[in-house]
Amino acid sequence: MGLPVLTAEDGRFPDYVVLPHSQSPTTNSDREITAVIQQLPTHMGWESASLTAVLRRSACSQSKPAHHSSHLPQKNISNTSCLNSKLAKGETISPLPSPSTVTVRVYAPLALAMLRTGQATTGRIWLLLRYLDTDGRGWVTVEQARNWLTDKTSIWRVCGWRQLRNLLRQGEGVFWHRGNGRLWLCAIPKVAAALGVTQLTGRPIALPVSVLTAGIGTVRAHFYATFHSSRTASQQTRHKPIARETIAAITHLPERTQRHYEHKAGVRTQRNFAIGKKVNSVSAHEIAWERGTAVFELKDFLGKHGQQGSTYWAWQLPNSYVGPHKQTGRGRQKRMNRELADLFMQGMTGNGRSAHTPPPPYTTRRYYANGRLAAKACTRRAANELYWTVPYKNGRLRLWYFLETK
DNA sequence: CACCGTATCTGAGAAGCCAC
DNA sequence: GTGGCTTCTCAGATACGGTG
């Protein structure tokens, strides 16, 4: 294996801890760090012959003045140059991989399908193995997988060997195929098709690897949170309300579980209220007939919504949600969706398959970022009821203005 | 109506032990 | 290395009451 290129962009070499020359790894924490280094995956370069040679040279040079390093590249201001300069100074470098800064690209429909089909445990193994297979060979040996995922000293440990055997059996044919002592990892479109995902919608998100190595409850919560993270794409859709019922229809998760996952994964929720007509313009009976018992009277003491002291009919709308993850580039999403379509077309040649999937339950657009867009939609008669909002500094609560188009 | 917090119960997951 | 058996933990569902 050659000397790997260490870059900050892919986040695989996030942190380095520089120890003084005289400090030998004798303390407990040092031993822990050494243990961490020893069980790091080989592809990360720490078992690289070239890198080992450099480390040995630097170790030997500790007793000598560090003048031999002048030939090392100086231009590239990156972790590579940082590493080189530290090596050149003869300092001992202990990589402390901080999995919270290392991320994997995850597609929300795939994560939700894992939850829906009860394959979150095997799915996270697949994601971890895809990450650990950085050579991109598409396979890892069973022994490697066992060492990384079950060794008690491994930072990638997620379960015992006994459980891993069960999981490997469960994921066979969906996430991987076994053969010649290797796990052949399936590509994203194949896995998506096996899980019943017809299209990879929304933007992919960057899921911290630390999430994948946490408890299964945390993994599940973040798989759910990818839905909100991939949905908060633009300023216009960021605050778009969505009912618990709709989320349940999409994710197949009951409301209480949604709340539990949101709390666990750090999804931010925002309450929304709609302001309707003035109280004296519509009777209580009429508004109750239209809106049910959820309607209440809102008095505008400060005159923020019109004449000071006016009272309006108001009601609560569904919440808005902001996911905890950063979005990443779409990558090969378009090509993968073509592959997925091909896979499903092949699968549809038999009997009893519908050629068209039902549309999602939230196709009629109802919420707009400002009044101009809402008025434009109003002229097109996009929906019977429209809501529009204005930018707010306080993110906990948002008011929406009601617009009737009939 | 839509949402939230807490308590409680149930069942699946995880892991240890051991024989083959 | 595999699989059966057992035990224990914890995730997930449900119920209930409360808020705006």
Side-chain angles (χ1 to χ4, degrees):
Chain A
M1 188 186 286
L3 184 68
V5 178
L6 313 182
T7 60
E9 285 76 14
D10 63 4
R12 290 175 201 273
F13 296 89
D15 297 323
Y16 296 97
V17 173
V18 182
L19 303 172
H21 294 199
S22 57
Q23 193 176 342
S24 59
T26 50
T27 63
N28 283 342
S29 59
D30 292 338
R31 281 196 209 100
E32 282 168 19
I33 293 167
T34 311
V36 166
I37 299 165
Q38 282 170 355
Q39 50 76 48
L40 277 173
T42 54
H43 71 267
M44 294 181 86
W46 309 112
E47 291 179 19
S48 151
S50 312
L51 184 55
T52 305
V54 176
L55 286 167
R56 275 187 183 152
R57 271 206 302 280
S58 65
C60 292
S61 68
Q62 279 189 10
S63 55
K64 301 173 189 172
H67 56 78
H68 67 283
S69 59
S70 56
H71 66 281
L72 287 169
Q74 300 294 322
K75 274 186 180 177
N76 189 6
I77 309 300
S78 68
N79 275 5
T80 312
S81 60
C82 177
L83 174 66
N84 284 338
S85 65
K86 283 166 187 172
L87 288 172
K89 288 173 190 167
E91 294 170 340
T92 309
I93 295 167
S94 303
L96 266 185
S98 68
S100 59
T101 60
V102 184
T103 59
V104 288
R105 180 180 291 175
V106 174
Y107 292 89
L110 210 53
L112 293 178
M114 289 176 191
L115 279 181
R116 194 170 54 241
T117 56
Q119 306 252 39
T121 42
T122 39
R124 71 120 154 234
I125 300 284
W126 176 69
L127 287 170
L128 273 172
L129 290 179
R130 274 174 61 85
Y131 167 71
L132 291 166
D133 170 38
T134 50
D135 287 346
R137 294 175 300 190
W139 59 266
V140 295
T141 64
V142 176
E143 195 182 347
Q144 275 179 319
R146 193 195 309 160
N147 289 340
W148 290 332
L149 304 178
T150 68
D151 195 297
K152 282 184 177 170
T153 60
S154 171
I155 53 169
W156 311 104
R157 179 186 158 87
V158 291
C159 60
W161 170 226
R162 179 82 177 81
Q163 181 62 11
L164 183 66
R165 278 210 314 258
N166 293 335
L167 295 176
L168 291 183
R169 201 186 310 124
Q170 271 180 42
E172 175 76 35
V174 178
F175 296 104
W176 46 71
H177 296 280
R178 296 178 75 168
N180 299 335
R182 291 173 181 174
L183 286 172
W184 297 86
L185 303 172
C186 294
I188 292 172
K190 292 263 173 65
V191 171
L195 294 174
V197 176
T198 54
Q199 198 180 16
L200 298 173
T201 53
R203 288 180 74 94
I205 60 103
L207 187 70
V209 174
S210 59
V211 167
L212 294 175
T213 54
I216 191 63
T218 306
V219 175
R220 285 202 173 97
H222 280 265
F223 278 4
Y224 162 75
T226 59
F227 170 71
H228 294 302
S229 297
S230 72
R231 200 169 164 266
T232 54
S234 64
Q235 280 297 322
Q236 285 184 18
T237 56
R238 183 183 293 273
H239 304 292
K240 199 173 156 187
I242 181 168
R244 291 277 179 204
E245 201 179 350
T246 310
I247 299 173
I250 296 165
T251 63
H252 294 78
L253 290 170
E255 292 180 17
R256 188 62 198 94
T257 308
Q258 291 171 26
R259 276 191 274 277
H260 176 70
Y261 284 166
E262 282 154 18
H263 186 72
K264 196 150 193 169
V267 175
R268 281 190 290 124
T269 60
Q270 185 182 52
R271 306 184 77 176
N272 297 303
F273 291 90
I275 300 178
K277 294 173 183 171
K278 282 186 179 176
V279 165
N280 51 17
S281 67
V282 187
S283 71
H285 183 77
E286 198 177 332
I287 196 79
W289 179 259
E290 283 180 11
R291 303 280 153 204
T293 55
V295 179
F296 60 94
E297 290 181 20
L298 177 81
K299 187 152 189 175
D300 185 15
F301 289 103
L302 300 174
K304 284 192 173 183
H305 311 290
Q307 197 179 2
Q308 196 172 0
S310 299
T311 309
Y312 301 88
W313 290 116
W315 58 93
Q316 187 171 7
L317 293 172
N319 282 1
S320 308
Y321 306 87
V322 180
H325 311 109
K326 284 183 181 172
Q327 294 181 342
T328 67
R330 291 186 188 272
R332 296 172 55 249
Q333 191 168 356
K334 203 171 177 180
R335 184 187 291 185
M336 285 193 286
N337 274 332
R338 271 205 302 273
E339 287 177 43
L340 251 178
D342 289 345
L343 284 169
F344 270 90
M345 284 306 286
Q346 286 167 19
M348 279 175 202
T349 52
N351 294 329
R353 291 289 194 105
S354 165
H356 300 286
T357 50
Y362 56 97
T363 47
T364 310
R365 187 165 178 190
R366 191 174 286 186
Y367 300 99
Y368 293 86
N370 55 57
R372 188 177 57 82
L373 290 171
K376 206 173 169 183
C378 191
T379 57
R380 284 187 280 110
R381 293 182 172 272
N384 286 340
E385 294 178 8
L386 299 181
Y387 297 89
W388 60 277
T389 187
V390 291
Y392 275 77
K393 282 183 182 174
N394 180 5
R396 296 285 295 168
L397 193 144
R398 178 169 287 267
L399 288 175
W400 294 77
Y401 297 99
F402 175 63
L403 203 60
E404 208 167 16
T405 60
K406 61 185 173 182

